[in-house]
Amino acid sequence: MRVRVEQTSLPGIGVRHDLITSSGRTVGVVSHRNGRRDLVLYDVDDPDACLASIPLTDDEAEALADVLGASLMLGQLAGLRQQAAGLLTEQVALPAGSPFVGRRLGDTRARTRTSASIVAVLRDREVIASPGPSFQFEANDVVVAVGTRDGLDGVTAILAGDTGD
Amino acid sequence: MHSTTALLIEVGALLFALGMLGRISRRFGLSPIPLYLLAGLAFGQGGLRPLPASTEFIEVGAEIGVILLLVMLGLEYSASELVGNLRSAAPAGVIDALLNALPGAAFAFLLGWSWEAALVLAGITWVSSSGVIAKVLGDLGRLGNRETPVILSILVIEDLAMAFYLPLVTAVLAGVGLLGGVKALSVAVLTVIAVLVVAIRYGHAISSFISVKDPEALLLSVLGLTLFVAGVAAQLQVSAAVGAFLVGIALSGPVAHNATQILTPLRDLFAAVFFVFFGLSTDPAAMPAVLLPALGLAVLTMLTKVFTGGLAARRAGIALPGQVRAGLALMPRGEFSIVIAGLAVASGVEPELAPLATAYVLITVVTGPLLARLTDYTWFKAMVRKRMVLRRPVEPVTAAE
């Protein structure tokens, strides 16, 4: 569902964007003309007043946007390991001698064979979210996979190249 | 002693002293303006230690200070912001003008002053200090608050209104009478409208004329253009300050942003000199006599500002705590009031005006930011909340009808 983001101009300062969450809280961002930005949280008792105004640097804002955005969520999942119903997330480093270095993700047929999904690849500290079948592996890639314990072990085995085929 | 040497010693010592004063004021979270004014009082005629060698330098510096204050004010706003804001904020702006300018004028008549002096005092009590208020809002972390746009739009209207008021006062004080004043005003109106239209349509073209890449060239061209236009405006009796303000508005985009960064230290320097100059031209001996009237005027016009802000916030659908915050935030007067008073003092309209304006600005600029903090205290919040609860039962009745 689309969320309504309201924009208010602050003459001489910049603009403010805010939205009301379904839990009734208001969150906003004040963007200053000079590039500075503040994350603002509003008071429950007095919805006109902000409770906190947190200045964010460019890097901090980007990091926060990544955390909130889908791309980093997948990466973060790997660290959380708190999946429901026996579903697990794991980071699997592509072994140096893996037969899949330089080959495509589709070639592993990991999902068909193990029913575990490769949801992201971490490369050079970057997150490549939901890679498609034509995604090409490189050495030192770390694969983020979601699946059951057996499925994840299967993926590890496939990537290591010891599945017998 | 060689006169240049004496000048260096005096100016150097003065600036260093101002630096120390600024540091002290920041430690207490106050605007340094009152301390600069006090420093001016101390060094002026009849003060502790007059500065004879640097008078001329300070006078010119003060003039540049006013111009820089105004060009920076113009740079803060884009022309479309000024115009776009106009319709929605105009009623609040009119209420603001009536509630705050009239007490000033009435007060001047009460003191038996001329109508020219009344016009000046009306301006002094009318305009809040956008610089001080924007800083207070930032310091208190209120930029995100919902009443903040209301406060800012009142400030915008005031600043824009100054573009019409200053030429009028300049002309009237120059002794051209009411007719001459009207003429200057109409020149100003046409100029301001022309600048706004040009700035909205061709702002980027004007700005692209000035290079952003070379800071030195940017500094020289923006400063040069501003001083030149201010000078021409003064020649036309449209007031140098308004000329500078219009240059600031006409510049936009990256040029405005970079010019702000480059000019800020210069503005800080010369604006401080301006405040000192204003203090210098005020005789401290005249202060005690006007202290009580200034206090009365300050209390009266601070109350009207609270009322203005509260009313404007209420129109924007802000609840009671926000209305109180908006009202209290609008209280400080500052640089603009002194610019207006400075014009009057230069023309020698009323000898008591300068000490009164100094005392008035001292009072409002010190107490204003302190009172703005009032709304953050828990006992104050509790008090406001109690009032809201008391009022609430009344509302559903009217809503049901």
Side-chain angles (χ1 to χ4, degrees):
Chain A
M1 208 178 79
R2 295 280 300 168
V3 177
R4 212 172 106 85
V5 177
E6 209 161 311
Q7 181 182 329
T8 314
S9 78
L10 302 172
I13 291 173
V15 282
R16 188 189 75 214
H17 289 96
D18 53 42
L19 60 90
I20 300 177
T21 65
S22 53
S23 58
R25 295 298 301 263
T26 313
V27 192
V29 174
V30 175
S31 312
H32 297 245
R33 194 91 53 67
N34 60 14
R36 193 189 132 177
R37 71 192 73 63
D38 303 330
L39 180 69
V40 289
L41 305 171
Y42 288 83
D43 200 337
V44 185
D45 294 333
D46 176 8
D48 297 326
C50 55
L51 209 55
S53 169
I54 306 158
L56 296 176
T57 64
D58 287 358
D59 289 341
E60 289 156 1
E62 201 179 333
L64 192 61
D66 271 349
V67 173
L68 292 172
S71 66
L72 214 87
M73 280 300 267
L74 293 171
Q76 296 282 315
L77 277 176
L80 292 177
R81 296 177 179 274
Q82 34 89 345
Q83 307 309 313
L87 205 60
L88 296 167
T89 311
E90 204 159 71
Q91 294 189 12
V92 185
L94 205 63
S98 166
F100 294 103
V101 172
R103 283 174 67 189
R104 302 183 319 152
L105 187 149
D107 296 344
T108 62
R109 290 172 42 239
R111 188 179 347 214
T112 338
R113 284 154 66 183
T114 67
S115 63
S117 289
I118 293 177
V119 293
V121 175
L122 311 177
R123 177 181 292 169
D124 295 337
R125 285 196 225 154
E126 267 183 53
V127 180
I128 300 150
S130 24
S134 59
F135 175 85
Q136 203 160 37
F137 284 118
E138 283 179 15
N140 300 324
D141 279 352
V142 174
V143 169
V144 180
V146 175
T148 59
R149 183 70 264 154
D150 286 351
L152 291 176
D153 290 344
V155 171
T156 312
I158 291 171
L159 292 178
D162 42 42
T163 43
D165 59 7
Chain B
M1 200 160 38
H2 196 271
S3 67
T4 323
T5 325
L7 175 87
L8 287 179
I9 293 173
E10 284 185 13
V11 172
L14 179 68
L15 291 182
F16 185 76
L18 292 184
M20 289 296 120
L21 287 175
R23 220 186 125 183
I24 294 170
S25 72
R26 278 204 185 93
R27 172 148 306 171
F28 295 102
L30 289 172
S31 158
I33 295 174
L35 290 181
Y36 295 162
L37 285 173
L38 287 178
L41 278 175
F43 290 120
Q45 290 273 300
L48 300 173
R49 170 87 178 81
L51 302 171
S54 49
T55 315
E56 206 171 316
F57 175 84
I58 291 178
E59 205 172 328
V60 176
E63 185 70 22
I64 296 177
V66 172
I67 290 168
L68 286 174
L69 273 174
L70 270 288
V71 71
M72 296 284 290
L73 191 63
L75 284 172
E76 268 177 32
Y77 303 125
S78 70
S80 43
E81 260 177 355
L82 286 176
V83 176
N85 180 51
L86 211 55
R87 191 171 302 164
S88 58
V94 171
I95 294 173
D96 176 44
L98 290 177
L99 278 179
N100 296 291
L102 289 182
F107 204 80
F109 285 124
L110 212 70
L111 293 174
W113 291 357
S114 63
W115 65 269
E116 287 99 334
L119 183 67
V120 171
L121 197 57
I124 293 174
T125 57
W126 173 15
V127 273
S128 310
S129 166
S130 33
V132 172
I133 293 172
K135 187 166 181 307
V136 166
L137 290 176
D139 288 348
L140 295 179
R142 293 212 195 133
L143 290 180
N145 278 20
R146 286 189 53 228
E147 78 275 4
T148 297
V150 177
I151 299 171
L152 293 175
S153 56
I154 289 181
L155 295 178
V156 172
I157 297 263
E158 283 180 359
D159 292 341
L160 194 59
M162 283 300 108
F164 305 110
Y165 172 87
L166 284 179
L168 180 70
V169 170
T170 311
V172 163
L173 290 177
V176 292
L178 205 52
L179 199 70
V182 170
K183 209 176 96 190
L185 182 62
S186 35
V187 172
V189 170
L190 288 178
T191 321
V192 171
I193 291 173
V195 167
L196 286 179
V197 169
V198 170
I200 290 174
R201 292 249 173 100
Y202 310 106
H204 290 286
I206 300 171
S207 301
S208 66
F209 191 67
I210 296 168
S211 163
V212 181
K213 291 196 185 85
D214 182 356
E216 189 180 330
L218 179 69
L219 172 66
L220 294 177
S221 48
V222 173
L223 188 61
L225 183 68
T226 310
L227 293 180
F228 175 76
V229 173
V232 171
Q235 196 77 33
L236 297 171
Q237 285 193 352
V238 180
S239 143
V242 170
F245 181 58
L246 292 178
V247 171
I249 289 172
L251 296 176
S252 63
V255 170
H257 175 56
N258 288 313
T260 309
Q261 285 183 327
I262 287 180
L263 288 177
T264 302
L266 266 186
R267 193 250 340 241
D268 292 345
L269 170 63
F270 285 105
V273 171
F274 165 67
F275 294 124
V276 169
F277 173 72
F278 188 77
L280 284 178
S281 46
T282 310
D283 185 359
M287 288 284 282
V290 295
L291 213 53
L292 264 183
L295 192 64
L297 187 62
V299 170
L300 173 70
T301 54
M302 281 161 97
L303 286 176
T304 54
K305 274 287 178 194
V306 172
F307 189 65
T308 309
L311 208 63
R314 188 215 250 320
R315 282 187 59 240
I318 310 280
L320 188 62
Q323 293 172 19
V324 177
R325 276 195 303 273
L328 289 175
L330 275 170
M331 288 190 311
R333 312 302 200 280
E335 57 277 21
F336 245 132
S337 300
I338 299 182
V339 170
I340 298 167
L343 282 173
V345 171
S347 73
V349 62
E350 186 71 49
E352 281 201 323
L353 192 63
L356 181 72
T358 312
Y360 178 76
V361 171
L362 280 176
I363 295 167
T364 57
V365 91
V366 172
T367 53
L370 292 177
L371 289 174
R373 265 159 235 258
L374 215 61
T375 51
D376 287 350
Y377 294 110
T378 31
W379 60 265
F380 195 88
K381 280 186 189 166
M383 204 173 79
V384 171
R385 202 165 297 148
K386 213 181 269 173
R387 281 208 58 176
M388 277 176 83
V389 174
L390 282 176
R391 276 189 183 184
R392 200 161 278 161
V394 186
E395 280 165 17
V397 182
T398 46
E401 279 168 356

